[in-house]
Amino acid sequence: MTRVGRWLASPSGRRRTWGAGAAAWGLLAEAAAEAHGRIPLWLDRPFSIAPGLGLDTDYASVAGLVVETSGLLHEAGLARGDVLAIVKAHNVDVIALAQAAARLGAVPALIAPEFDPDTIRALLDRLGGPLTVADDAAIIRHGLASPGLTRRLISVDGSAAGGTELDQYRGHRVPPAAPRADHELVALTHTSGTTGVPKLISHTGASLAGQSLVQVLGGRLLLGRRDVIATCLTTAHARTLSGLATVAALGLPHLAMVDPDPVSAGPLMARHRPTLIETFPNVFTRWEAFAEGPAAPLANVRIFLSTFDAAHPRTIHKMLASSRRRLPVYAQAYAQSETGAIALSFRFSRRHVGDARHVGWPILAFNRVRLVDPSTGAALRRPGRTGTIEVRGPGLFGGYRAEPGRTAEGWHDGWWRTGDLGSRRIDGAIRLQGRAVDAVAAIPDYLAWEDIVLERLEELDELVILDDPAGHPAVVATTRDNRPLDPDRWAEATADIPGLGHPRILRWDQLPTTATWKVRRPALRDQLFPTPRTAPATPPAPLGDDRLTQPGPQPTRLPRRL
């Protein structure tokens, strides 16, 4: 991390440059309201904990709700240092509940309700049976009222068996704020759980500030008072927590969506005409269907921001082409919940996107990245060599909750192991090749080939290449409006990828996805092939080898233009 980056992420640097965004995490909503007044906030779902606020509200009202809710939670028995588990449908009121807990000095733990009951129970057990806030749907589905699972169960929207209604605690005094210090644990989120029970990620005030750094500074440089921000993020995700500092610092009108369905998102964006949109790459892919429609909901956008995963070139092209601004930009942040943004890239051309697996430059995210051979741990210094990506930076998390051994395994000589494979270009940019656990033996650069096929077949919404139990490539696809896929068009589009048979066509809702709507490849593999996998007949090329293909019946080299 650069000296400038260290200063900007320090408490004194934040106070000078971030304004209200430098407040303690539990006080960010109040700081934003005090600094900027009634910042408009538009929702796609009403708050479960305050439906009377409606869909058109403001941050001053939300700040008041946070203060009031902190009183309710205090009366329910939540005290400084306690953990509050929040298990409810994605909505901005999840963040209001988390802020209310943090205002008391408690630690909110945000848990996505999509997990199966056994996973939810394992996470609650790892949290020590905490006081838990949930909605009736989660209480019933996961059996949260079971004896011993929680210290106390509170329902936000009803009176499910075993849950006490949150409204029962109204009318009591609100205690003074007592937020935790920067070096202390302030919140918990979780990983996607692609390889088992998700890991609980510990965030300190300093780590969340470090993850907010590039967003706050970018917003100050690129956005003005006439801009409108739109987001479509899941509210159990680390990015939603770090984004609060950005809102507090900038004080701009905000369309906060949690439903990526084009039927819901399209009309809202057509109404509010955002100038910056942030969501996950797979959501942008789903929005291709209305990007160039008659309502032109994206016409006013000048900054498209996707985070955590690499976007498909076709998606980047469609988004840029949908804007009527003179010079729109697609900003792509490669990130993980444990680190925040690792690298950042920008694309401006409406015609030629290039290889979207080039995810940018770490220095733009105030990070340092190195590549190592996973077998020896030796640094790979020559550009073009493939290895495991390791990172240092201001947003590194505080460890995995109740798993010190796993936390220690992730560190390597002071660098954090991301588990991703990639290479470095001669100009320092990082090229992402995929997760080590998702490797496809016959197609080492499987992510790039997915991009190529998606660009050739616009009727596809998503494409996933996996290993079958014998180590041969298998393909799963979803199509726009669930239409059948023409076998001849598929054969023509994949003629230069030997061994790639016709895909299995699924609906989008049949794909197992993470909190960022990214396909959980190991879970999808288990869904399709429940029997144990066998070792592939042809081992993959050794890491560090510059080749993209292997001997035998392998796909040809990637086309020059992706």
Side-chain angles (χ1 to χ4, degrees):
M1 182 180 175
T2 65
R3 182 180 301 177
V4 173
R6 283 194 297 271
W7 184 83
L8 289 171
S10 69
S12 59
R14 283 156 47 200
R15 283 193 297 272
R16 287 173 180 251
T17 60
W18 294 28
W25 190 81
L27 301 178
L28 281 173
E30 295 171 67
E34 182 178 350
H36 307 294
R38 294 193 172 277
I39 310 167
L41 175 66
W42 305 297
L43 309 171
D44 61 351
R45 291 177 182 172
F47 285 177
S48 299
I49 62 174
L53 286 181
L55 298 177
D56 293 358
T57 183
D58 56 71
Y59 269 94
S61 298
V62 173
L65 176 63
V66 167
V67 174
E68 178 186 3
T69 305
S70 70
L72 304 184
L73 295 175
H74 178 263
E75 185 63 25
L78 188 68
R80 182 178 177 82
D82 288 346
V83 172
L84 176 73
I86 304 172
V87 190
K88 67 176 297 296
H90 297 290
N91 201 348
V92 180
D93 63 359
V94 170
I95 306 305
L97 284 163
Q99 285 262 286
R103 185 179 184 276
L104 299 174
V107 179
L110 281 57
I111 301 176
E114 292 88 352
F115 290 123
D116 61 85
D118 288 342
T119 296
I120 296 288
R121 289 165 178 261
L123 292 175
L124 291 175
D125 182 65
R126 200 176 293 167
L127 292 171
L131 193 151
T132 301
V133 173
D135 54 21
D136 280 0
I139 292 173
I140 295 170
R141 179 188 175 195
H142 301 300
L144 298 183
S146 300
L149 189 60
T150 66
R151 175 160 67 91
R152 176 173 292 175
L153 180 62
I154 300 171
S155 173
V156 298
D157 60 356
S159 55
T164 303
E165 291 187 56
L166 183 63
D167 279 347
Q168 290 190 14
Y169 300 104
R170 294 193 184 277
H172 298 277
R173 72 177 184 88
V174 176
R180 296 167 73 84
D182 272 358
H183 67 278
E184 294 180 295
L185 176 68
V186 298
L188 293 157
T189 58
H190 54 73
T191 59
S192 60
T194 56
T195 57
V197 176
K199 300 177 283 291
L200 287 168
I201 301 172
S202 300
H203 301 282
T204 65
S207 70
L208 286 178
Q211 293 191 11
S212 304
L213 175 59
V214 66
Q215 304 149 10
V216 172
L217 295 183
R220 287 208 175 278
L221 288 172
L222 300 175
L223 300 177
R225 286 295 171 187
R226 295 184 178 180
D227 285 300
V228 174
I229 297 173
T231 58
C232 187
L233 303 168
T234 52
T235 49
H237 198 272
R239 172 64 191 98
T240 312
L241 300 185
S242 64
L244 285 175
T246 309
V247 172
L250 301 180
L252 297 177
H254 184 192
L255 169 60
M257 300 175 287
V258 294
D259 185 358
D261 190 333
V263 175
S264 168
L268 283 171
M269 287 187 284
R271 173 188 172 193
H272 296 292
R273 298 291 176 182
T275 50
L276 179 147
I277 294 180
E278 178 184 355
T279 189
F280 305 115
N282 275 3
V283 177
F284 276 133
T285 299
R286 293 191 69 188
W287 289 353
E288 290 179 23
F290 66 66
E292 299 175 353
L298 308 179
N300 197 41
V301 180
R302 58 188 184 87
I303 302 174
F304 298 89
L305 173 58
S306 69
T307 186
F308 280 86
D309 306 308
H312 300 303
R314 187 191 75 190
T315 299
I316 297 174
H317 168 76
K318 291 280 189 182
M319 292 301 109
L320 291 174
S322 70
S323 173
R324 295 176 185 170
R325 301 298 290 259
R326 185 171 61 87
L327 189 63
V329 59
Y330 191 103
Q332 180 169 266
Y334 160 50
Q336 289 189 349
S337 296
E338 293 92 334
T339 65
I342 297 171
L344 193 62
S345 64
F346 300 92
R347 287 172 173 82
F348 302 91
S349 174
R350 288 180 168 94
R351 295 183 178 180
H352 177 52
V353 172
D355 185 354
R357 298 297 152 185
H358 290 296
V359 292
W361 293 266
I363 193 171
L364 296 180
F366 301 98
N367 280 313
R368 295 175 61 196
V369 162
R370 73 173 185 178
L371 301 170
V372 301
D373 188 305
S375 300
T376 65
L380 303 175
R381 304 189 184 280
R382 187 159 59 90
R385 303 190 70 189
T386 299
T388 301
I389 298 173
E390 298 184 345
V391 63
R392 279 178 174 172
L396 289 176
F397 75 130
Y400 295 126
R401 171 84 172 192
E403 295 185 284
R406 179 172 278 180
T407 301
E409 289 175 2
W411 291 103
H412 180 205
D413 296 335
W415 295 78
W416 178 252
R417 292 169 167 163
T418 65
D420 288 337
L421 300 177
S423 59
R424 188 193 301 271
R425 297 195 313 192
I426 195 169
D427 62 359
I430 301 299
R431 186 177 189 280
L432 185 63
Q433 191 162 316
R435 298 285 292 175
V437 296
D438 296 334
V440 178
I443 308 176
D445 218 0
Y446 64 94
L447 291 179
W449 281 105
E450 289 173 0
D451 286 343
I452 293 168
V453 176
L454 281 167
E455 191 167 21
R456 292 171 178 174
L457 296 173
E458 291 197 357
E459 58 266 42
L460 296 183
D461 272 339
E462 183 58 285
L463 180 74
V464 181
I465 301 177
L466 306 166
D467 268 352
D468 70 10
H472 301 132
V475 192
V476 174
T478 65
T479 61
R480 192 162 296 173
D481 299 325
N482 298 315
R483 292 192 295 261
L485 179 62
D486 185 340
D488 292 335
R489 279 182 54 77
W490 172 261
E492 181 181 358
T494 60
D496 51 356
I497 316 177
L500 209 60
H502 195 78
R504 299 192 187 195
I505 304 298
L506 300 179
R507 298 189 313 272
W508 174 259
D509 59 9
Q510 292 177 305
L511 296 175
T513 58
T514 69
T516 61
W517 295 295
K518 180 181 178 182
V519 177
R520 296 167 56 212
R521 292 170 186 262
L524 179 59
R525 187 185 295 115
D526 292 341
Q527 179 178 317
L528 299 175
F529 312 112
T531 56
R533 302 170 66 204
T534 59
T538 304
L543 291 173
D545 194 329
D546 295 334
R547 296 170 298 168
L548 294 178
T549 58
Q550 303 166 42
Q554 304 298 328
T556 57
R557 287 185 178 272
L558 295 171
R560 290 182 180 274
R561 183 183 184 279
L562 298 183

